[in-house]
């Protein structure tokens, strides 16, 4: 009879982050998701064993990361590529019609500024993958190697960030929903899409996911660490991870601001400790972050004359990017595209696919980049954000108001709307841009549904359990729609 009771209690097991066997299950799920990285990349026919031998006589046929690495090795910031006389002679080289009419030869999707070529891709992957690889092998990694290394890094820190956020906000999370949520969250980050595409564009995306999730993990882990030295080390890594996020995709780094209220609340609490502890804690984060910010601003100013200029306006692409601007009449279009656009269910395999409908004001005619995509809410877990009012009600009923948590959720929403609006106005819509906002929204939505399920009783507990399972299933369908749609192009 006692054995039967124990068996019946298994589905209701609460997650205990100190339990060895439960943490073993957590690690096994993360290992499974890492194994899936290799499977996805293999299915796309990418070869991780290939290297690019260096030095390279002509870098023009290689990715912009290799071109930038080559430029650094030669002691310069601009790429070592010749500019055609026809391009130099153009009054406005960023106008694609002017380039076509003149017959100017140019390198597609590169930054052209004051007679030199640059790369607008952030240099974080050069620091985390290319440089270590070069030191070890005296060669450079191809895109497949770079993507798989960053993907492993991203899966590990996505899992750890998810765990830390659950520890901080979900006191009674169900173990099995926690593990399913771990899978759903990692599938929602865009890592696997990046592995399927394996190109320089998705190197930036995977790097941003990895660095931003590392920032979340180190931040939350530091805030529950009592040893002042270990806490300081964790905060240094937190600041470095945030800097690497900026050096991957600056727009993705904006979402990290949502964590700052949790920091502020933590720093307010440690004021009760000694002045020494407070100074070490603050300094361990602020000083490396200030150094990172100074480096980013110096790097921008050295290339483009302004500390805040990342070079986006100087791209040689399908339109003159400098003409784009924020326009409030595009707010609805950006919200619809980045949040509400669903995946499509069809009758034949793969049954779920992405679409590419773009809703614009009828009088609007300028160029918009448009690829097949799905919005944030179609990823399942971000839907949990819509239920946060229920969490606030439970907190008030229990006499516990967590202002920092409230600010985290509200900022996550507001920042994601701003990023969607910004990306839409300046570029258009693409899954790469949508994954600037989905990871953190999925993280927040995930802890909300786990928290509601753990704190509810009776019928409501069952309802939230079913809702959690539905959202996890939607996350899987979203993952499937993204992966299977992209497979059509491979």
């Amino acid at each position: 009879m006692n054995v039967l009771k124990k068996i019946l209690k298994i589905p209701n097991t609460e997650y205990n982050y100190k339990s060895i066997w439960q943490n073993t299950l957590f690690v096994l799920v993360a290992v499974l998701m890492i194994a899936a990285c290799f499977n996805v990349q293999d299915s796309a026919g990418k070869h991780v064993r290939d290297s690019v031998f260096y030095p390279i006589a002509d870098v023009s046929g290689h990715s912009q990361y290799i071109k930038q690495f080559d430029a650094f090795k030669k002691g310069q910031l601009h790429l070592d590529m010749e500019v055609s006389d026809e391009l130099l002679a153009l009054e406005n080289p960023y106008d694609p019609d002017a380039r076509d009419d003149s017959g100017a030869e140019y390198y597609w999707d590169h930054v052209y500024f004051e007679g030199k070529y640059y790369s607008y891709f952030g240099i974080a992957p050069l620091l985390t993958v290319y440089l270590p690889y070069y030191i070890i092998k005296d060669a450079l990694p191809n895109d497949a190697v770079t993507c798989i290394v960053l993907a492993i890094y991203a899966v590990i820190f996505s899992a750890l960030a998810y765990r830390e956020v659950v520890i901080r906000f979900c006191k009674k999370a169900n173990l099995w929903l926690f593990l399913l949520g771990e899978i759903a969250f990692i599938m929602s980050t865009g890592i696997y899409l990046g592995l399927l595409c394996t190109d320089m564009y998705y190197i930036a995306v995977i790097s941003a996911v990895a660095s931003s999730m590392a920032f979340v993990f180190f931040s939350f882990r530091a805030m529950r660490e009592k040893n002042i030295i270990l806490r300081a080390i964790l905060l240094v890594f937190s600041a470095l991870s945030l800097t690497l996020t900026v050096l991957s995709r600056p727009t993705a780094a904006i979402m990290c601001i949502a964590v700052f209220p949790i920091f502020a609340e933590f720093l307010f609490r440690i004021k009760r400790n000694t002045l020494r502890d407070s100074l070490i804690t603050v300094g361990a984060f602020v000083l490396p972050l200030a150094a990172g910010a100074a480096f980013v601003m110096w790097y921008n100013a050295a290339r483009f004359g302004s500390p805040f200029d990342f070079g986006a306006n100087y791209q040689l692409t399908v339109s003159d990017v400098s003409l784009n601007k924020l326009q409030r009449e595009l707010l609805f279009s950006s919200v619809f595209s980045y949040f509400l656009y669903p995946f499509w269910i069809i009758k034949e395999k793969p049954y779920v696919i992405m679409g590419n409908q773009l809703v614009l004001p009828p009088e609007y005619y300028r160029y918009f980049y448009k690829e097949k995509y799905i919005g944030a809410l179609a990823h399942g877990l971000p839907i949990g954000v819509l239920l946060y009012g229920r969490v606030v009600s439970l907190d008030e009923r229990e006499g516990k108001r967590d202002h920092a948590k409230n600010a985290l959720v509200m900022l996550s929403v507001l920042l994601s709307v701003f990023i969607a609006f910004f990306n839409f106005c300046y570029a258009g819509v693409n899954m790469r841009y949508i994954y600037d906002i989905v990871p953190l929204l999925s993280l927040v939505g995930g802890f909300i549904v786990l928290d509601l399920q753990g704190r509810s009783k009776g019928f409501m507990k069952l309802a939230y359990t079913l809702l959690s399972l539905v959202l996890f299933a939607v996350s899987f369908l979203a993952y499937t729609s993204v992966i299977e749609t992209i497979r059509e192009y491979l």
Side-chain angles (χ1 to χ4, degrees):
M1 191 67 178
N2 289 333
V3 174
L4 180 61
K5 287 182 178 179
K6 289 181 179 180
I7 293 174
L8 292 174
K9 287 182 179 179
I10 288 177
N12 295 320
T13 304
E14 289 185 7
Y15 174 60
N16 178 6
Y17 73 93
K18 296 180 181 180
S19 168
I20 294 176
W21 76 271
Q22 291 190 18
N23 284 326
T24 301
L25 290 177
F26 165 79
V27 171
L28 287 175
V29 169
V31 170
L32 174 66
M33 303 308 285
I34 290 173
C37 291
F38 289 94
N39 181 65
V40 169
Q41 196 172 61
D42 286 344
S43 71
K46 310 299 181 180
H47 302 291
V48 299
R49 292 180 296 276
D50 296 341
S51 294
V52 178
F53 296 104
Y54 190 84
I56 302 169
D58 181 9
V59 297
S60 61
H62 292 273
S63 77
Q64 292 197 34
Y65 288 106
I66 290 179
K67 292 172 183 174
Q68 189 65 69
F69 181 92
D70 173 74
F72 288 157
K73 283 285 288 181
K74 293 173 178 174
Q76 60 193 46
L77 298 178
H78 64 276
L79 308 183
D80 189 20
M81 293 157 47
E82 291 187 7
V83 180
S84 67
D85 292 335
E86 294 82 4
L87 188 65
L88 285 168
L90 287 177
E91 182 178 350
N92 181 13
Y94 311 109
D95 181 351
D97 292 332
R99 294 198 303 268
D100 292 343
D101 292 342
S102 69
E105 293 184 0
Y106 64 95
Y107 289 96
W108 172 259
D109 213 10
H110 286 62
V111 169
Y112 174 70
F113 183 72
E114 294 186 348
K116 296 177 181 178
Y117 282 113
Y118 295 87
S119 170
Y120 66 83
F121 288 86
I123 63 172
L126 298 183
L127 302 174
T128 57
V129 181
Y130 286 83
L131 180 59
Y133 192 95
Y134 178 74
I135 292 172
I136 295 170
K137 299 197 67 173
D138 201 28
L140 297 177
N142 66 1
D143 289 349
V145 173
T146 306
C147 281
I148 197 66
V149 171
L150 289 172
I152 294 170
Y153 171 28
V155 169
I156 290 172
F157 281 108
S158 293
L160 290 172
Y162 171 76
R163 179 176 179 268
E164 286 300 320
V165 168
V166 170
I167 291 171
R168 169 67 173 80
F169 295 121
C170 307
K171 303 304 180 186
K172 297 181 179 181
N174 179 277
L175 170 65
W176 312 109
L177 293 179
F178 166 77
L179 295 174
L180 288 173
E182 180 185 357
I183 297 172
F185 171 60
I186 294 173
M187 288 194 304
S188 299
T189 57
I191 296 170
Y192 297 108
L193 174 59
L195 287 168
L196 197 62
C197 295
T198 301
D199 58 25
M200 62 184 181
Y201 298 102
Y202 278 97
I203 287 175
V205 172
I206 303 175
S207 179
V209 172
S211 300
S212 62
M213 289 301 107
F215 164 71
V216 173
F217 163 69
F218 286 122
S219 300
F220 277 81
R221 180 64 186 84
M223 287 185 283
R224 67 180 182 88
E225 179 55 53
K226 295 180 180 179
N227 183 292
I228 186 64
I229 301 302
L230 181 54
R231 180 198 299 164
I233 293 172
L234 290 166
L235 287 171
V236 168
F237 279 108
S238 171
L240 292 176
S241 298
L242 182 53
T243 302
L244 288 173
T245 308
V246 175
L247 290 172
S248 299
R249 280 186 63 83
T251 45
I254 294 173
M255 288 295 290
C256 295
I257 297 172
V259 176
F260 283 17
I262 307 295
F263 262 139
E265 186 248 2
F266 170 71
L267 294 175
F268 179 78
R269 281 192 283 113
I270 66 167
K271 281 184 178 179
R272 303 168 188 170
N273 299 337
T274 65
L275 178 62
R276 169 182 167 273
D277 286 0
S278 300
L279 290 176
I280 290 175
T281 299
V282 173
F285 180 74
V286 172
L287 294 180
L289 186 61
F295 171 76
V296 171
M297 290 189 288
W298 169 85
Y299 183 57
N300 288 342
R303 293 184 300 164
F304 308 121
S306 169
F308 304 106
D309 192 342
F310 289 86
N313 285 340
Y314 314 121
Q315 296 175 52
L316 301 181
T317 184
V318 292
S319 65
D320 187 344
V321 180
S322 65
L323 299 178
N324 298 341
K325 59 183 179 179
L326 296 178
Q327 295 176 268
R328 61 176 178 268
E329 62 265 32
L330 296 178
L331 180 59
F332 170 78
S333 298
S334 64
V335 170
F336 174 81
S337 299
Y338 278 75
F339 294 92
L340 304 177
Y341 193 73
F343 52 77
W344 296 97
I345 299 175
I346 57 178
K347 294 181 179 179
E348 61 276 351
K349 286 185 178 181
Y351 303 115
V352 283
I353 59 171
M354 297 189 292
N356 62 350
Q357 182 178 351
L358 195 61
V359 176
L360 288 169
E363 70 280 3
Y364 217 80
Y365 297 105
R366 79 164 174 82
Y367 176 82
F368 275 89
Y369 189 67
K370 179 181 69 171
E371 292 285 347
K372 292 188 175 182
Y373 67 99
I374 57 174
L377 296 183
H379 286 78
L381 290 181
I383 293 175
V385 176
L386 303 178
L387 304 173
Y388 190 64
R390 178 62 180 166
V391 174
V392 174
S393 297
L394 289 175
D395 287 346
E396 292 180 348
R397 187 181 305 171
E398 297 171 6
K400 300 181 295 184
R401 290 190 176 183
D402 192 335
H403 297 295
K405 180 174 67 174
N406 295 344
L408 166 68
V409 177
M410 292 183 65
L411 271 177
S412 297
V413 174
L414 292 175
L415 290 170
S416 64
V417 171
F418 169 75
I419 292 170
F421 181 47
F422 181 90
N423 281 346
F424 192 86
C425 289
Y426 279 94
V429 61
N430 183 292
M431 283 308 302
R432 297 195 303 273
Y433 311 152
I434 290 175
Y435 282 126
D436 285 343
I437 65 175
V438 169
L440 192 60
L441 283 179
S442 295
L443 195 59
V444 173
F447 89 67
I448 288 173
V449 294
L450 284 180
D451 188 37
L452 287 173
Q453 194 277 340
R455 295 166 66 182
S456 300
K457 297 178 181 179
F459 173 78
M460 290 306 299
K461 191 177 193 68
L462 175 61
Y464 284 123
T465 300
L466 294 175
L467 177 62
S468 300
L469 293 174
V470 168
L471 294 185
F472 298 156
V474 171
S475 296
F476 177 75
L477 291 175
Y479 161 83
T480 303
S481 72
V482 170
I483 295 297
E484 294 302 327
T485 304
I486 297 300
R487 283 192 200 279
E488 297 176 7
Y489 298 95
L490 299 179

